[in-house]
């Protein structure tokens, strides 16, 4: 049985980087399509309907951030996960934050293998899957409908916010979540409220999860990530 190849769009003007990524993606059974500037990338995103986009920050004329903003504000392309390639570590919080809304990022220089692993992780646990009733990670089991959390069979008493925070992090497992994005998605606030609110709740959530609290990793400088495994 042949699984359907998922299409990945690479938007990057450097031919050698594009080739490297396309080769590695092909090895992992993806179909790679390429665009060498932002405008062509946006058109390709609409026409080719890729499952995911790898987008370079440094592009001629239209920057990667601008392309990201256009894709994330368009109904046709908003749902497509975006991994940004960037050489600028200091841009990271803006890239994955509310401002641009990329789903993940990789800093240059990168290993193509690592990029493909990120692609696979995002597609496996993407937000675009139909709604699930249960979530699990090791011996943590979440019943989304009954709002019930168990760790190794033992019920854990969480507040509504802690429950939503845990299920959001777990649904985006392996992907860094910026504080302002968590505020928006979990609390429903615009980024005006203090992002330390997130830290306080994560701390309490970790305490309640006991040893499993370690699964929620702090990504210094901007957010949290539920550990891949
Ligand atoms: Ca470039």
């Amino acid at each position: 049985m042949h699984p359907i190849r998922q299409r990945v769009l690479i938007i990057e003007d450097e031919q050698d980087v594009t080739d490297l990524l396309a080769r590695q993606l092909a090895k992992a059974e993806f179909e790679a399509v390429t665009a060498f500037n932002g405008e062509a990338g946006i058109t390709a995103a609409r026409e080719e309907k890729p499952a995911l986009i790898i987008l370079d920050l440094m592009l001629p004329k239209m920057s990667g951030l601008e392309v990201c903003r256009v894709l994330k504000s368009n109904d046709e392309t908003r749902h497509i996960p975006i991994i940004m390639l960037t050489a600028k570590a200091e841009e990271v919080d803006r890239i994955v934050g509310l401002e641009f809304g990329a789903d993940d990022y990789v800093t240059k220089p990168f290993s193509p293998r690592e990029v493909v692993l990120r692609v696979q992780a995002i597609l496996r646990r993407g937000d675009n899957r139909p709604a699930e009733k249960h979530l699990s990670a090791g011996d943590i089991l979440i019943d989304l409908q009954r709002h019930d959390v168990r760790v190794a069979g033992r019920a854990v008493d969480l507040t509504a916010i802690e429950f939503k925070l845990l299920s959001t992090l777990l649904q985006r497992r392996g992907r860094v979540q910026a504080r302002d994005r968590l505020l928006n998605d979990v609390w429903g606030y615009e980024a005006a409220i203090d992002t330390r609110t997130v830290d306080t709740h994560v701390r309490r959530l970790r305490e309640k999860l006991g040893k499993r609290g370690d699964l929620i990793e702090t990504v210094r400088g901007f957010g949290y990530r539920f550990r891949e495994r």
Side-chain angles (χ1 to χ4, degrees):
M1 206 178 80
H2 257 302
I4 300 163
R5 285 178 166 235
Q6 286 181 296
R7 187 172 294 163
V8 175
L9 170 64
I10 307 166
I11 308 175
E12 160 69 289
D13 57 316
E14 288 159 81
Q15 180 87 52
D16 51 346
V17 176
T18 307
D19 289 349
L20 204 65
L21 284 172
R23 258 202 313 276
Q24 197 73 25
L25 284 164
K27 264 195 232 168
E29 304 289 320
F30 288 102
E31 182 193 340
V33 287
T34 54
F36 295 97
N37 63 58
E39 262 174 50
I42 291 167
T43 306
R46 290 198 185 118
E47 288 175 359
E48 307 275 355
K49 309 205 181 314
L52 184 143
I53 297 169
I54 298 173
L55 172 61
D56 188 44
L57 185 77
M58 300 291 285
L59 292 171
K61 287 186 270 184
M62 196 176 186
S63 85
L65 286 178
E66 203 45 49
V67 174
C68 189
R69 205 203 307 260
V70 170
L71 292 172
K72 289 295 184 188
S73 59
N74 186 299
D75 284 339
E76 275 178 280
T77 51
R78 185 196 306 279
H79 65 284
I80 307 173
I82 296 177
I83 298 179
M84 292 282 301
L85 303 178
T86 173
K88 298 183 189 172
E90 69 272 23
E91 294 267 36
V92 162
D93 53 346
R94 297 176 65 214
I95 293 171
V96 297
L98 283 178
E99 195 175 353
F100 295 103
D103 298 84
D104 203 352
Y105 71 95
V106 177
T107 44
K108 286 181 169 181
F110 56 80
S111 99
R113 213 179 93 81
E114 191 205 332
V115 178
V116 171
L117 288 175
R118 298 280 184 97
V119 169
Q120 287 167 328
I122 289 181
L123 290 178
R124 218 170 26 233
R125 319 198 156 92
D127 294 334
N128 37 9
R129 284 189 300 187
E132 290 167 297
K133 289 182 184 147
H134 295 92
L135 289 170
S136 66
D139 56 9
I140 301 177
L141 185 66
I142 302 179
D143 185 327
L144 290 170
Q145 280 176 336
R146 294 175 52 225
H147 270 229
D148 182 53
V149 177
R150 282 168 196 275
V151 176
R154 183 179 55 88
V156 181
D157 191 21
L158 299 183
T159 64
I161 285 289
E162 289 160 355
F163 181 85
K164 200 160 178 210
L165 182 59
L166 177 63
S167 41
T168 300
L169 286 167
L170 220 159
Q171 268 159 344
R172 301 169 185 175
R173 200 169 176 184
R175 291 156 60 182
V176 179
Q177 301 301 309
R179 286 181 176 81
D180 57 355
R181 195 166 198 194
L182 285 170
L183 268 182
N184 192 65
D185 295 353
V186 175
W187 279 260
Y189 302 145
E190 289 304 321
I193 219 158
D194 194 335
T195 50
R196 276 175 297 187
T197 304
V198 179
D199 303 332
T200 309
H201 283 81
V202 167
R203 193 162 59 238
R204 270 191 229 139
L205 177 58
R206 279 180 176 145
E207 279 166 16
K208 290 188 181 179
L209 292 175
K211 263 197 252 171
R212 300 293 176 265
D214 293 353
L215 290 169
I216 302 171
E217 299 175 317
T218 302
V219 180
R220 272 181 73 130
F222 69 97
Y224 295 97
R225 171 173 57 207
F226 200 96
R227 195 183 293 168
E228 186 83 30
R229 58 177 61 84

